[in-house]
Amino acid sequence: MKKILSLLAFFSLLTGSLQAQQASNNTEIRNKLSKIYDIDQKERAKYDELERQYGWGAKESQDARQKIKEMDQQHLKEVEDIIQKVGKYPGKDVVGQPLDQVAFLIIQHSTDRAVHEKYLPIITEAAQKGNIDKASAAVLTDLVKVQKKEKQVYGTQIHINNKGEKDLYPVEDLANINQRRKEMDLEPLENFLRRMGVGAKP
């Protein structure tokens, strides 16, 4: 009996130690993601201000875009390291809200289609388990579709057409799109298009 009690005490201590270690790891990950997000938003706000002040083609704006490109590459590396360490997407069950959106944001920022395709299944799985908003999976799904020159599924991607107007990339099965959008917690397409000013010059 004493041996059994000793084993139970050992496993209790071991479980408590593992939980404490996991909590410590999660705190470290939360801190990293918070720092990544703060820097990301600060540099993008700075770029927006420079573009308004000097114009898109000015040297100041070009230098800022290059700085953002380098920042995005560094942040992607850090996020990939976190995903590898956690063994899955660092979602609500790992970092809580709103930090569950940060890794998605950095992945979305990448201009490399291979990066989007690589992490789409991981983000889709996280959305299915409630660890990230379904809308995020919908956005990345459409982004990959558009990059492959295929019709998007949820109608989240817009572009500037040859008339200089915002336009929606082609969508499959347009008649049923609002049902698909509803399933991904997206607003009706007509509301989205109106809010984004689609059809009007930016």
Side-chain angles (χ1 to χ4, degrees), residues 98-127:
L99 292 176
D100 60 298
Q101 294 292 323
V102 176
F104 162 75
L105 182 71
I106 299 305
I107 289 167
Q108 185 187 20
H109 283 336
S110 175
T111 57
D112 188 347
R113 173 178 137 189
V115 170
H116 298 151
E117 291 182 343
K118 177 181 179 180
Y119 290 107
L120 178 57
I122 296 173
I123 289 175
T124 299
E125 181 182 12

mmCIF file of all heavy atoms in Angstrom, residues 98-127:
data_model
loop_
_atom_site.group_PDB
_atom_site.id
_atom_site.type_symbol
_atom_site.label_atom_id
_atom_site.label_comp_id
_atom_site.label_asym_id
_atom_site.label_seq_id
_atom_site.Cartn_x
_atom_site.Cartn_y
_atom_site.Cartn_z
ATOM 1 N N PRO A 98 -6.637 37.951 -27.591
ATOM 2 C CA PRO A 98 -6.675 37.939 -29.051
ATOM 3 C C PRO A 98 -5.396 37.425 -29.709
ATOM 4 O O PRO A 98 -5.246 37.485 -30.926
ATOM 5 C CB PRO A 98 -6.872 39.426 -29.375
ATOM 6 C CG PRO A 98 -6.085 40.123 -28.297
ATOM 7 C CD PRO A 98 -6.254 39.277 -27.050
ATOM 8 N N LEU A 99 -4.458 36.921 -28.908
ATOM 9 C CA LEU A 99 -3.167 36.499 -29.455
ATOM 10 C C LEU A 99 -3.278 35.299 -30.384
ATOM 11 O O LEU A 99 -2.342 35.004 -31.128
ATOM 12 C CB LEU A 99 -2.187 36.190 -28.322
ATOM 13 C CG LEU A 99 -1.727 37.401 -27.483
ATOM 14 C CD1 LEU A 99 -0.841 36.948 -26.341
ATOM 15 C CD2 LEU A 99 -0.999 38.415 -28.358
ATOM 16 N N ASP A 100 -4.421 34.608 -30.376
ATOM 17 C CA ASP A 100 -4.616 33.466 -31.274
ATOM 18 C C ASP A 100 -4.577 33.877 -32.740
ATOM 19 O O ASP A 100 -4.367 33.048 -33.617
ATOM 20 C CB ASP A 100 -5.949 32.770 -30.974
ATOM 21 C CG ASP A 100 -7.133 33.696 -31.144
ATOM 22 O OD1 ASP A 100 -7.211 34.708 -30.419
ATOM 23 O OD2 ASP A 100 -7.988 33.418 -32.004
ATOM 24 N N GLN A 101 -4.767 35.167 -33.020
ATOM 25 C CA GLN A 101 -4.796 35.644 -34.410
ATOM 26 C C GLN A 101 -3.416 36.062 -34.933
ATOM 27 O O GLN A 101 -3.248 36.263 -36.128
ATOM 28 C CB GLN A 101 -5.749 36.838 -34.524
ATOM 29 C CG GLN A 101 -7.214 36.502 -34.280
ATOM 30 C CD GLN A 101 -7.797 35.630 -35.373
ATOM 31 O OE1 GLN A 101 -7.469 35.784 -36.549
ATOM 32 N NE2 GLN A 101 -8.648 34.693 -35.004
ATOM 33 N N VAL A 102 -2.438 36.186 -34.049
ATOM 34 C CA VAL A 102 -1.153 36.775 -34.449
ATOM 35 C C VAL A 102 -0.395 35.905 -35.445
ATOM 36 O O VAL A 102 0.087 36.389 -36.474
ATOM 37 C CB VAL A 102 -0.265 37.065 -33.213
ATOM 38 C CG1 VAL A 102 1.102 37.592 -33.657
ATOM 39 C CG2 VAL A 102 -0.950 38.073 -32.303
ATOM 40 N N ALA A 103 -0.287 34.606 -35.173
ATOM 41 C CA ALA A 103 0.445 33.721 -36.096
ATOM 42 C C ALA A 103 -0.217 33.722 -37.468
ATOM 43 O O ALA A 103 0.478 33.750 -38.498
ATOM 44 C CB ALA A 103 0.506 32.307 -35.526
ATOM 45 N N PHE A 104 -1.543 33.706 -37.495
ATOM 46 C CA PHE A 104 -2.267 33.775 -38.771
ATOM 47 C C PHE A 104 -1.933 35.066 -39.510
ATOM 48 O O PHE A 104 -1.685 35.064 -40.722
ATOM 49 C CB PHE A 104 -3.773 33.696 -38.534
ATOM 50 C CG PHE A 104 -4.591 34.177 -39.696
ATOM 51 C CD1 PHE A 104 -4.733 33.397 -40.837
ATOM 52 C CD2 PHE A 104 -5.205 35.416 -39.665
ATOM 53 C CE1 PHE A 104 -5.463 33.849 -41.928
ATOM 54 C CE2 PHE A 104 -5.940 35.871 -40.740
ATOM 55 C CZ PHE A 104 -6.079 35.086 -41.877
ATOM 56 N N LEU A 105 -1.915 36.172 -38.787
ATOM 57 C CA LEU A 105 -1.621 37.468 -39.393
ATOM 58 C C LEU A 105 -0.250 37.467 -40.060
ATOM 59 O O LEU A 105 -0.097 37.935 -41.204
ATOM 60 C CB LEU A 105 -1.675 38.558 -38.313
ATOM 61 C CG LEU A 105 -1.437 39.999 -38.779
ATOM 62 C CD1 LEU A 105 -2.624 40.490 -39.583
ATOM 63 C CD2 LEU A 105 -1.204 40.914 -37.571
ATOM 64 N N ILE A 106 0.741 36.916 -39.385
ATOM 65 C CA ILE A 106 2.107 36.886 -39.922
ATOM 66 C C ILE A 106 2.180 35.958 -41.137
ATOM 67 O O ILE A 106 2.838 36.285 -42.130
ATOM 68 C CB ILE A 106 3.107 36.441 -38.836
ATOM 69 C CG1 ILE A 106 3.081 37.429 -37.650
ATOM 70 C CG2 ILE A 106 4.505 36.319 -39.419
ATOM 71 C CD1 ILE A 106 3.329 38.880 -38.033
ATOM 72 N N ILE A 107 1.518 34.819 -41.060
ATOM 73 C CA ILE A 107 1.492 33.894 -42.205
ATOM 74 C C ILE A 107 0.813 34.559 -43.393
ATOM 75 O O ILE A 107 1.275 34.458 -44.532
ATOM 76 C CB ILE A 107 0.768 32.589 -41.813
ATOM 77 C CG1 ILE A 107 1.641 31.793 -40.835
ATOM 78 C CG2 ILE A 107 0.439 31.739 -43.052
ATOM 79 C CD1 ILE A 107 0.918 30.645 -40.146
ATOM 80 N N GLN A 108 -0.276 35.261 -43.145
ATOM 81 C CA GLN A 108 -1.003 35.947 -44.206
ATOM 82 C C GLN A 108 -0.142 37.031 -44.859
ATOM 83 O O GLN A 108 -0.225 37.263 -46.065
ATOM 84 C CB GLN A 108 -2.279 36.564 -43.645
ATOM 85 C CG GLN A 108 -3.187 37.205 -44.695
ATOM 86 C CD GLN A 108 -4.348 37.951 -44.074
ATOM 87 O OE1 GLN A 108 -4.299 38.319 -42.903
ATOM 88 N NE2 GLN A 108 -5.392 38.172 -44.845
ATOM 89 N N HIS A 109 0.686 37.699 -44.065
ATOM 90 C CA HIS A 109 1.553 38.762 -44.591
ATOM 91 C C HIS A 109 2.569 38.235 -45.608
ATOM 92 O O HIS A 109 3.057 39.002 -46.446
ATOM 93 C CB HIS A 109 2.334 39.434 -43.458
ATOM 94 C CG HIS A 109 1.528 40.402 -42.651
ATOM 95 N ND1 HIS A 109 0.409 41.039 -43.133
ATOM 96 C CD2 HIS A 109 1.690 40.838 -41.364
ATOM 97 C CE1 HIS A 109 -0.076 41.834 -42.203
ATOM 98 N NE2 HIS A 109 0.673 41.719 -41.120
ATOM 99 N N SER A 110 2.905 36.974 -45.531
ATOM 100 C CA SER A 110 3.927 36.423 -46.414
ATOM 101 C C SER A 110 3.495 36.562 -47.872
ATOM 102 O O SER A 110 2.317 36.402 -48.207
ATOM 103 C CB SER A 110 4.183 34.947 -46.095
ATOM 104 O OG SER A 110 5.088 34.396 -47.028
ATOM 105 N N THR A 111 4.453 36.851 -48.731
ATOM 106 C CA THR A 111 4.172 36.942 -50.165
ATOM 107 C C THR A 111 4.488 35.623 -50.869
ATOM 108 O O THR A 111 4.386 35.530 -52.089
ATOM 109 C CB THR A 111 5.008 38.070 -50.808
ATOM 110 O OG1 THR A 111 6.403 37.826 -50.544
ATOM 111 C CG2 THR A 111 4.624 39.433 -50.227
ATOM 112 N N ASP A 112 4.860 34.623 -50.099
ATOM 113 C CA ASP A 112 5.232 33.317 -50.637
ATOM 114 C C ASP A 112 4.024 32.380 -50.596
ATOM 115 O O ASP A 112 3.550 32.008 -49.529
ATOM 116 C CB ASP A 112 6.385 32.732 -49.820
ATOM 117 C CG ASP A 112 6.964 31.461 -50.438
ATOM 118 O OD1 ASP A 112 6.323 30.897 -51.350
ATOM 119 O OD2 ASP A 112 8.042 31.036 -49.996
ATOM 120 N N ARG A 113 3.524 32.008 -51.766
ATOM 121 C CA ARG A 113 2.366 31.110 -51.845
ATOM 122 C C ARG A 113 2.631 29.783 -51.146
ATOM 123 O O ARG A 113 1.728 29.200 -50.536
ATOM 124 C CB ARG A 113 2.015 30.877 -53.313
ATOM 125 C CG ARG A 113 0.934 29.836 -53.552
ATOM 126 C CD ARG A 113 0.636 29.728 -55.030
ATOM 127 N NE ARG A 113 0.489 28.348 -55.447
ATOM 128 C CZ ARG A 113 0.404 27.959 -56.710
ATOM 129 N NH1 ARG A 113 0.482 28.852 -57.682
ATOM 130 N NH2 ARG A 113 0.277 26.682 -57.001
ATOM 131 N N ALA A 114 3.859 29.312 -51.201
ATOM 132 C CA ALA A 114 4.207 28.037 -50.566
ATOM 133 C C ALA A 114 3.975 28.097 -49.059
ATOM 134 O O ALA A 114 3.590 27.097 -48.444
ATOM 135 C CB ALA A 114 5.656 27.667 -50.870
ATOM 136 N N VAL A 115 4.208 29.260 -48.463
ATOM 137 C CA VAL A 115 3.978 29.433 -47.025
ATOM 138 C C VAL A 115 2.488 29.313 -46.728
ATOM 139 O O VAL A 115 2.077 28.636 -45.785
ATOM 140 C CB VAL A 115 4.508 30.803 -46.546
ATOM 141 C CG1 VAL A 115 4.057 31.085 -45.113
ATOM 142 C CG2 VAL A 115 6.022 30.846 -46.643
ATOM 143 N N HIS A 116 1.660 29.961 -47.537
ATOM 144 C CA HIS A 116 0.206 29.898 -47.347
ATOM 145 C C HIS A 116 -0.303 28.462 -47.491
ATOM 146 O O HIS A 116 -1.120 28.002 -46.684
ATOM 147 C CB HIS A 116 -0.490 30.804 -48.363
ATOM 148 C CG HIS A 116 -0.122 32.242 -48.231
ATOM 149 N ND1 HIS A 116 -0.128 33.118 -49.290
ATOM 150 C CD2 HIS A 116 0.295 32.961 -47.150
ATOM 151 C CE1 HIS A 116 0.241 34.312 -48.888
ATOM 152 N NE2 HIS A 116 0.515 34.246 -47.596
ATOM 153 N N GLU A 117 0.193 27.770 -48.513
ATOM 154 C CA GLU A 117 -0.248 26.391 -48.738
ATOM 155 C C GLU A 117 0.219 25.459 -47.625
ATOM 156 O O GLU A 117 -0.504 24.540 -47.222
ATOM 157 C CB GLU A 117 0.263 25.896 -50.093
ATOM 158 C CG GLU A 117 -0.395 26.594 -51.284
ATOM 159 C CD GLU A 117 0.090 26.049 -52.619
ATOM 160 O OE1 GLU A 117 1.137 25.372 -52.648
ATOM 161 O OE2 GLU A 117 -0.581 26.304 -53.628
ATOM 162 N N LYS A 118 1.402 25.734 -47.110
ATOM 163 C CA LYS A 118 1.960 24.898 -46.047
ATOM 164 C C LYS A 118 1.117 24.971 -44.776
ATOM 165 O O LYS A 118 0.862 23.941 -44.124
ATOM 166 C CB LYS A 118 3.393 25.345 -45.743
ATOM 167 C CG LYS A 118 4.042 24.589 -44.587
ATOM 168 C CD LYS A 118 5.462 25.116 -44.336
ATOM 169 C CE LYS A 118 6.115 24.396 -43.161
ATOM 170 N NZ LYS A 118 7.498 24.909 -42.911
ATOM 171 N N TYR A 119 0.671 26.180 -44.429
ATOM 172 C CA TYR A 119 -0.013 26.359 -43.151
ATOM 173 C C TYR A 119 -1.532 26.349 -43.247
ATOM 174 O O TYR A 119 -2.207 26.374 -42.211
ATOM 175 C CB TYR A 119 0.479 27.644 -42.476
ATOM 176 C CG TYR A 119 1.900 27.504 -42.002
ATOM 177 C CD1 TYR A 119 2.947 28.139 -42.657
ATOM 178 C CD2 TYR A 119 2.201 26.677 -40.928
ATOM 179 C CE1 TYR A 119 4.254 27.973 -42.242
ATOM 180 C CE2 TYR A 119 3.507 26.502 -40.503
ATOM 181 C CZ TYR A 119 4.530 27.157 -41.157
ATOM 182 O OH TYR A 119 5.831 26.974 -40.757
ATOM 183 N N LEU A 120 -2.079 26.288 -44.468
ATOM 184 C CA LEU A 120 -3.537 26.228 -44.607
ATOM 185 C C LEU A 120 -4.146 25.033 -43.868
ATOM 186 O O LEU A 120 -5.131 25.201 -43.130
ATOM 187 C CB LEU A 120 -3.937 26.220 -46.081
ATOM 188 C CG LEU A 120 -5.435 26.105 -46.365
ATOM 189 C CD1 LEU A 120 -6.208 27.238 -45.690
ATOM 190 C CD2 LEU A 120 -5.695 26.113 -47.878
ATOM 191 N N PRO A 121 -3.607 23.813 -44.017
ATOM 192 C CA PRO A 121 -4.195 22.674 -43.280
ATOM 193 C C PRO A 121 -4.119 22.845 -41.767
ATOM 194 O O PRO A 121 -5.044 22.452 -41.043
ATOM 195 C CB PRO A 121 -3.351 21.480 -43.744
ATOM 196 C CG PRO A 121 -2.746 21.905 -45.038
ATOM 197 C CD PRO A 121 -2.510 23.374 -44.901
ATOM 198 N N ILE A 122 -3.039 23.441 -41.274
ATOM 199 C CA ILE A 122 -2.857 23.629 -39.841
ATOM 200 C C ILE A 122 -3.865 24.639 -39.301
ATOM 201 O O ILE A 122 -4.481 24.436 -38.248
ATOM 202 C CB ILE A 122 -1.414 24.092 -39.540
ATOM 203 C CG1 ILE A 122 -0.417 22.989 -39.935
ATOM 204 C CG2 ILE A 122 -1.241 24.469 -38.074
ATOM 205 C CD1 ILE A 122 1.032 23.408 -39.840
ATOM 206 N N ILE A 123 -4.063 25.721 -40.050
ATOM 207 C CA ILE A 123 -5.008 26.752 -39.628
ATOM 208 C C ILE A 123 -6.440 26.254 -39.771
ATOM 209 O O ILE A 123 -7.299 26.539 -38.928
ATOM 210 C CB ILE A 123 -4.768 28.048 -40.424
ATOM 211 C CG1 ILE A 123 -3.447 28.687 -39.950
ATOM 212 C CG2 ILE A 123 -5.923 29.028 -40.280
ATOM 213 C CD1 ILE A 123 -3.017 29.900 -40.727
ATOM 214 N N THR A 124 -6.711 25.478 -40.821
ATOM 215 C CA THR A 124 -8.041 24.896 -41.000
ATOM 216 C C THR A 124 -8.379 23.968 -39.839
ATOM 217 O O THR A 124 -9.493 24.004 -39.292
ATOM 218 C CB THR A 124 -8.120 24.126 -42.332
ATOM 219 O OG1 THR A 124 -7.876 25.037 -43.421
ATOM 220 C CG2 THR A 124 -9.487 23.491 -42.518
ATOM 221 N N GLU A 125 -7.427 23.144 -39.440
ATOM 222 C CA GLU A 125 -7.639 22.234 -38.313
ATOM 223 C C GLU A 125 -7.885 23.012 -37.016
ATOM 224 O O GLU A 125 -8.770 22.660 -36.222
ATOM 225 C CB GLU A 125 -6.433 21.307 -38.141
ATOM 226 C CG GLU A 125 -6.594 20.317 -36.999
ATOM 227 C CD GLU A 125 -5.378 19.425 -36.794
ATOM 228 O OE1 GLU A 125 -4.323 19.717 -37.383
ATOM 229 O OE2 GLU A 125 -5.486 18.439 -36.040
ATOM 230 N N ALA A 126 -7.110 24.094 -36.820
ATOM 231 C CA ALA A 126 -7.291 24.918 -35.625
ATOM 232 C C ALA A 126 -8.682 25.544 -35.608
ATOM 233 O O ALA A 126 -9.330 25.620 -34.555
ATOM 234 C CB ALA A 126 -6.224 26.010 -35.570
ATOM 235 N N ALA A 127 -9.167 25.968 -36.778
ATOM 236 C CA ALA A 127 -10.508 26.561 -36.876
ATOM 237 C C ALA A 127 -11.586 25.528 -36.570
ATOM 238 O O ALA A 127 -12.567 25.824 -35.878
ATOM 239 C CB ALA A 127 -10.717 27.155 -38.260
#
